[in-house]
Every structure is written in C-alpha cells, then in structure tokens.
Amino acid sequence: MRRPRQPLFLARASYRRRRLRDAARLLPVVGVFLLMLPLLWPQGGAGSAVIFVFVVWALLIGFAAVLAHGLDQPETPSAAGDD
Amino acid sequence: MPFDILVLSCFVYVIFLFAIAFFGERRAQLGGMGFLRSPTVYTLSLSIYCTAWTFYGAVGYGARSGIEFMTIYLGPTLVFVGWWWILRKLVRIGRQQRVTSIADLISSRYGKSNGLGVLVTLIAVVAATPYIALQLQSVTLSFAVFSSDQPEGWATPIRASTALWVAGGLAVFTILFGTRRLDAKEQHHGIVIAIAVEAVVKLVALVAVGSFVVWGLAGGPGAVIDRIEAVNLQGWQLQPGRWVGLIALSAAAVICLPRMFQVLVVENVDERHLARASWAFPLYLFAMCLFILPIAMVGLEQMPADTNPDMMVLTLPLAHGQGALAMLAFLGGFSSATSMVIVETVALATMLSNHVIMPLWLHLRPEATRSADLRGGILLARRLSIIGVLGLGLAYYRLSGGSAALAAMGLIAFAGMAQVLPALLGGIFWRGASRVGAILGLLTGFATWGWTLFLPSFGQDAVIPAQVFALGPFGLSWLRPEALFGTAAMDPLIHSIFWSLALNTAAFFAGSILSFPDPVERIQGAAFVNAFDAEAQGGRLGWTHGQAEPEALLNLAQRILGEEALTFFETEARAQGKEGYLPDMTPAFLTELERRLAGSLGAATAHAMISQLFGRATVTVEDLMAVASEAAQIAEYSARLESNQTELTRTARQLREVNEKLTQLSVQKDAFLSQISHELRTPMTSIRAFSEILTEGDLPAPQVADYGRIIHEEAKRLTRLLDDLLDLSVLENGAVQLNLGLAHLGELLDRAAAVASQTRPDRAFRIERDVTTEEIYLRTDADRLVQVFINLISNARKYCEANPGVLRIAIRHRAGRVTVDFIDNGRGIPKEKQALIFEKFARLTDQTKAGGAGLGLAICREIMANLGGTVAYLPGQRGAAFRVTLPLRLERSAA
C-alpha cells in the first residue's frame, strides 16, 4: 500500500541482494539455535562444550564477514526499501 | 616490580593517551579525518564493551562458573551478527534524528517528552554508578596487587587515595575532550581515537598473558582442553536458565548501555562502518575470550586457594616473575577501566545536562533563551555533570567498600539498563507504542529491578531487612524480593531479569494499547518506524510559518552551535535561492534547525526552545494536526500556486500599462513631427503672406506698420518655439550648465508670479501663499527654478476655469527636500491624461486657447531632473495640482 509502484519481480542482481539480506536476518537465529544445543547435552566435562561454542562463534563471525561484504554495497534505487 | 616504576609508567601512559586524544581532535578540526573515520576505529571504539569487568572479572567469572562467562560476549555477538535487524535501524534513526543519547532517543520517539528523558537518565545513572565504582575498584585493586607483598593487601595506605586520583584524572580527561566543543553531532573524535588505542592495548595485554599461560605454564592448547574437560568444579555445570537468560541480557545490554549507545550510534560517522563492525567486533570479543578459561584454569591450579580470582591476570605473571608482562597486563586493565569510565561519563553527562539540568534552567529562567551565553551554560552543565557522575561513582565505591565480586556488579548494571529495551525496540518497530506505555513499562521494570536485584545486592539487612527477604513486605509473601509470586526456585539474577522484563513489557504493551498518543508522538512514531522508507519525510512534518524573526533564530542558533549556525543558515538560504544569511522560515528549514539544535540540547529541549521563540509555550494539537494532515499540505501548495498566480497577473498588468504608454508615445512621436512642421509653418505662412503684401508696396503707412508688427510677432513666436526646442534638447541631453547659488524661495515665487501675471492679464486670479513657510534658502539654479514656477503659474492662469481662479502654493520642507505644491481650484486634469501632460506637444485643450507649443511642462520636467528633483501631477486635490520636489542643497556633482 505504501509502495504502490514496487515491481512484483526483480532483476537477478536485486533478487540476489534481497536474499543476502534474508540470510543476514537469519544468521542470528541460526546462532541462537546452535548456542542452545549444548544445553541438551548430558552434563559432563566442559571441554567439548567450550570447543563447540568457540567453533560456532567463529563460524558466525565468518558468515557475518561474508554477508557484510555483500550488504555493504550502496543500494540502487530500484533495490531500495526494506525487503 | 617497584611500585614507583608502576606509577611512573602509568603516568607516561596517561600522557600518551592525552596526546593521542589531542592529535585526534586536531586532525578532526583540520578536516583530515581519513583514518579517524575508518571502520576499524569504529570497531575498536566499540570495544569499550570490554571493561575492567572483562579484563579482570572475566577470569574470575570463568574460575567460578566455567563456560557461563561466555554468555556476556555471545549476546553482543548475536546482536552484531544480526545487525540487519536492529543496529542498522538504530544507527539510521540516530543519524536522521541527530540523537545524542539513549535517553534522547526514547524521549524523541515518544513525542519529544522530557519526562521520559529524565526517567531514562535516572535509570542510567542509577545503573551506571555501581559500574563506574567497579572500574575505580579494579584500578585500585590492581595498584594494590603491585604495592603489597600480599596480592590482596587491602590495608595499603595508598588504596584510599588511588581511587580519588584516578577519578580526578578521568574527570580532567573527560572534561578536556568530552566538552571541548558543542557540536551538533555530539561526536568526540579525540575520545574515540583514544579508546581505540586503549582497545588495542587491552587486547594485546590479554592475549600476551594468555599466550604466556597456555604455552609457558600449561604446556600448549591440548593440555588446557584436557584440563577443562577433566575439571569438575561446583558451579561449572551449564545451567539452562542462566545460559539463556544471560545471553539475552548481554544482548540487550550491548544496545542499551549508555556508553555502547554512545559509540555505536552517536559517534558513528558512516552507516557502512556497521557492516565491518558486524563481524569485526564479534571477532574482537572472540579474541578477548579465547584465553580467559586457560588463565582461570591455570590460576586455580597454581595459585593459593585464597587468591582473588578477579586479579589472576596480574597475579599469575607476577607469581612467575614476569614483571614486564604483569606491567602490560596492568596497563591493559587500566585501559579497560579508563576507557569505559570516560565514555560512560560523557554519555551520562550528555543525558544529565540535556534532560535534567538545561530544561530545569530554562524553566527557572525562561528569558535565558534570549539572553547571554547559552553555549557556555550548556558546556558548564556538561562539565558539572561529568564531575557529578564521577563523584557518584567514587562515593558509591567508598560507601560500599568495594567488596562485591566484580561480575555481580556488572550484571546488576546490565539488568538495570535492559529495562529500556522494551520501550526502545517497541519504539522503532511498532507504531502503536505510546508514551504512556513507555513510561509505565520503564517505571514498572525499574521498580521491579530495584526491588529484586539492586537493593538486595547491598546484602540482607543493608537496605531491605532480612525479615522482608524471608516473609515479604507487610507479610505479603508473594512480594519477597527474590521470590516474586512464589518463584523461589529461580536463580536470583535470572529471577530479577525475568520478572522485571516481563512486567515491564506487559505494562508497556498495556499502556500503549489503552492510551491514545498525541500528534507529536504519532509523527515521531511514524518517522522512527519508517526510518528507511523515505528520507524526504523528515521535512514534511513540523513547523508551520511562525512569528519568529529569522534574526532571532540565527541569534539563538549561534549561541548554541557557534560558527556552524552561520554556515547552516547560509547554505539553507542558498538552497532556497536567497542571498545572505536569513532563509525563509519554511517548515523544512525549522525542522532541520530543530534537529541540529537537538544534537546539542536533546530533542525535547530543542523543541521547547524553538516553541518559546515562536511565542507559544507548546505546539497546540490543532497546529500539528493541520501540519500533519495531507489536506494542510495541499492547501499550502495551492496557496503558493495562488500567490504565484497573483504575481503573474500583476506583472501582466504592468506589462499592459507599459505597452499602452509605448503605443501612445509612438502616436505622439508622429504627432510631434506633424506638430513641429505645423507649428513652424503657421508663423512662416503669416510672415510670407504679409511680407509679400509689403513688397507689393502702395500701402498706407498705418497698414505697413500693422503688417510689420504682425511679421515681428510671428517671428518672435517662431524664435520662442525654436528656443524652447533648443532648450528642451539641451536639458534632455543633460548638457545644461547650471548656475548654482543661494536663493530665497519666497523671492523666487515673487519673481515667478510677477512674470506669470503677463499671461492673460485680463482674468481675475488670486494666488494664496503662506509667507512664513517660504523662508527657505535653496542652493539651486534660481533662474531655471523660476522658469518652472512661471510655467506652472501661467498654466494655472491659462487653464483654470474657475472664476475667480485661485492658486494655492503650499511649501513643505522635510529631510533635506523641499516640496512646492501648486494647487488651483479648477476642474483638474482627467486621470487618463495625467500620464501625458509632461510629454512634448501635449495639449489638452485646443490649440488656440493654449497659445503655446505644448512644450512647457516637458521643459519643466527636464529642468527639475537637472536640478535633482521632480515635478509631478498630484492627483486627488480637486483642482489641478503639481508638486515640485527638489533638494534643499544641490551639490555640483548632481548637476
């Protein structure tokens, strides 16, 4: 309603950018999910949990770096907007 | 390690920081911001999240609770990795609305309400005071570690004064670099660059100590992991409630803590830096955390059982004779503490001065808006706030004795500040969020936090009696501080976070749903929630035309923004297509100005100030509704169109008039040619005819004399005509020689009247004069002026039909100019002819009656132009009236 002139389908580049944003939104959700996993493990030594958390952490950072590179681009007028 | 060297190196380090900050300020002032504006500096400045609580406390936390210490860093990681959700919007809104602090953001979002600003400021100060005390304590403790043989030597004499010295030094630094200027963006480049350097120091220090512990003491990473796996300490079990709760809490804190908001939003110079920080800041946290557990493990193993685990980063290297390493660690801890205190103090001081001190001051002295040095007042308020905040921290430290474990204090502060989260998130994502809801939510959350966490943290019987802990206030057991509604099974911290945030959110939603926001709130709500939709809407809503003078506004703005105000006004004026420094008071301009002022004063204060200048205490609801509604805009637009239309019509009318005159002039020019030939021919014909008769001879003498007289008369008339024409052309070319001298106006009129009486001497004619007003000496060309007077008086004698004719001569003398009005009692000159009488050969009546060539008034006009004056027809005097205006003293240059 607010953007009546939005096209229904997008060019390939803008489409990619939109999905990149979706991925950026999804990343913290995935992070929460993975960080909750150790809670379900049987209590025991902390070593494996520590390693697991650090690995998840490193992966989150890595993915965020990749996504940030793509999201950094200035928005083209046609791709402007929130989704 | 000698204590003196420690103090000395600490001193040198502080001087180094001052130099860095000074350099940063200088670079920023000179405009060379290249490195200062880099995303790396932005990311490093974010590291003030890692305070002394991280540097010293994390090891203690890790030693006590194992893996749980990581929650404090996982929360921020999730928030930053998910920057596209919240941080991006916050930064955008912060830049659009020129937000100066988190209190300002909340106040601005909920209708620029200062009450909310005060509330958030209050919460922030209460929550931050223990935290600042914690930093002072950590510095004091670390000094104590070096200064005594006993690492936990509490009794060292310098302990008491260390905190005071540190607080004093920090106050100086913060005042120097935090209140240097009053700038619309509220950015402090010196401070940012200094804390970026400190961020590097603390990371290097912690990694150095960690590497020493892992490879020097523990025998490599593998061995460390084995030990962690084998450990089975009490408290190391993963508690699901605390794990989830603390991750959520730290995630909330990284957004809401005043210092984080300061560096994250306020100090942000480029939105794209956030993209870098989204992974680089988690990476920094990752690096900080990597060695915490190994240090804690090895510390627990090797140090005596009564060692304070919070100080292991220092005591471990010291115990192994690594003085230099310990020194580095000390500087790391010192950096963590100082950078946190500096930024927190700046953030709190901004909030205090913008939301508490300045509004109070302006309320007590409303005339201050218009009077003296407002800028100095604001800076003074900032400085006092800085001293006040640090003083509070110091007082808390002294009173509490600084005995609590570091981690506990940090978490209490987090939980307190997290109370802002519902209002903050609701504000930027939900348009329905209202001020009533925000106030209710904040009050509920703050009260619950105070009751269940903050007050109990002082210990049983300190503030809340032990009996209340056991039985609840007034015997209401469901209100026990650590078991609200009977939830005694929960961990006290999680219990508090859970209930405070739950009740806070519930009150926020209930208040928002049940209340109706006022127009300012709704406008701000739309601007915040739709921050990405259109930058353009910023100028759409806001001020309508007001009564404030541009000068007054510029005056006010200059006192707050300084030089920047002038530049801003000038650019705005140029954008509107005007020259100079005073743009039109368009709504867009006022909105932008208010935003700039808000950058220095906070939204609520800026709004109030502009309102005051506009002569109304507050903006009325009707006003805003009118502005906000589309109808008003359309009306305004059509009004503008209409005014354009009127202007066009006026221009067209002027054009038409000019055109008409031109056409008439063209007709006159033709008439002039035919006139002049006619005028020349008539006397010529007479002369030729009579001279022919005379040449034939045979005429009686009287007839010859008669004919000769006629020829003489006609020749005279011809000469007069030619004289007039010559006169006129000389006058028109401005080549006339003026004979300047002093002349008495009355005498000039006497002369004129005498000469003019020759014209139609037969008729009854009276001239009314007021001799007293004629006592004026003019410096002018008397003969020329008399010529004009003669012409005007003769005209009156010739054309005034009244019998007897009366000519009134009125003289006025004002501001170096003299006007002489000649008003007769005839019928006057019809309006359509008034424009023509000064043209050549313009004769209104038929020629015979006039008897002249019609050049008189044309010559008068030219003479007056040469005398630096005018002659004009004066309408509306019943009879014909002419006004001669001339300067009292004609200078030669004007001739």
Side-chain angles (χ1 to χ4, degrees), chain B residues 575-608:
Chain B
Q576 292 179 0
K578 293 182 72 177
E579 288 294 316
Y581 294 100
L582 299 173
D584 286 336
M585 299 290 104
T586 60
F589 166 71
L590 286 173
T591 310
E592 185 56 30
L593 176 68
E594 192 189 315
R595 276 188 191 167
R596 297 235 171 184
L597 291 181
S600 296
L601 300 166
T605 314
H607 197 69

Side-chain angles (χ1 to χ4, degrees), chain A residues 2-3 21-22 24-32 35-40 43-51 53-55 57-69 71-75 80-82, chain B residues 67 69-70 73-74 77-85 88-89 92 225 228-232 236-241 243-244 247 272-273 275-276 278-280 282-286 289-291 293 431 530 532-533:
Chain A
R2 246 185 293 116
R3 294 190 289 267
R21 289 175 192 170
D22 292 348
R25 287 202 180 90
L26 200 61
L27 197 57
V29 180
V30 173
V32 169
L35 290 178
M36 294 306 127
L37 277 186
L39 295 177
L40 306 172
Q43 295 288 336
S48 49
V50 170
I51 293 170
V53 170
F54 271 120
V55 167
W57 200 341
L59 284 178
L60 284 177
I61 293 169
F63 277 115
V66 171
L67 290 176
H69 185 70
L71 292 169
D72 201 8
Q73 312 300 323
E75 293 177 4
D82 210 10
Chain B
I67 191 174
F69 88 92
M70 289 166 78
Y73 311 97
L74 288 172
T77 299
L78 291 174
V79 169
F80 270 81
V81 160
W83 63 293
W84 203 259
W85 284 106
R88 190 175 67 108
K89 195 160 191 177
R92 173 68 66 90
I225 289 170
I228 292 173
E229 186 68 41
V231 83
N232 197 13
W236 275 57
Q237 274 80 34
L238 211 52
Q239 298 174 43
W243 181 254
V244 177
I247 289 182
R272 275 172 301 173
H273 290 178
R276 169 78 70 85
S278 77
W279 59 268
L283 186 64
Y284 185 91
L285 295 178
F286 183 89
C289 287
L290 208 50
F291 293 106
L293 273 186
R431 280 180 67 170
N530 304 330
F532 288 110
D533 277 359

Side-chain angles (χ1 to χ4, degrees), chain B residues 41 166 194 287 358 391 440 528 568 606 671 673 711 795-796 828 858-859 869 880 886:
Chain B
V41 169
V166 172
M358 285 313 286
L440 280 181
F528 275 55
F568 168 63
L673 288 176
I711 290 173
N795 276 355
I859 291 173
L886 71 161

Side-chain angles (χ1 to χ4, degrees), chain B residues 724 728 731 787-788 791-792 795 798 837-842 852-863 871:
Chain B
D724 279 359
L728 194 61
L731 286 165
Q787 201 182 338
V788 175
N791 208 295
L792 291 174
N795 276 355
K798 263 188 262 178
I837 50 177
F838 291 102
E839 305 301 338
K840 283 162 250 175
F841 299 109
L855 289 172
L857 282 176
I859 291 173
C860 285
R861 190 178 62 175
E862 293 307 325
I863 291 174
V871 55

Side-chain angles (χ1 to χ4, degrees), chain B residues 37 70 251 383 397 461 501 609 646 651 760 831 857:
Chain B
R37 284 174 168 272
M70 289 166 78
R383 288 173 186 153
Y397 168 66
D461 274 332
L501 280 178
M609 269 182 133
T646 0
T651 318
R760 289 181 70 187
K831 195 166 182 299
L857 282 176

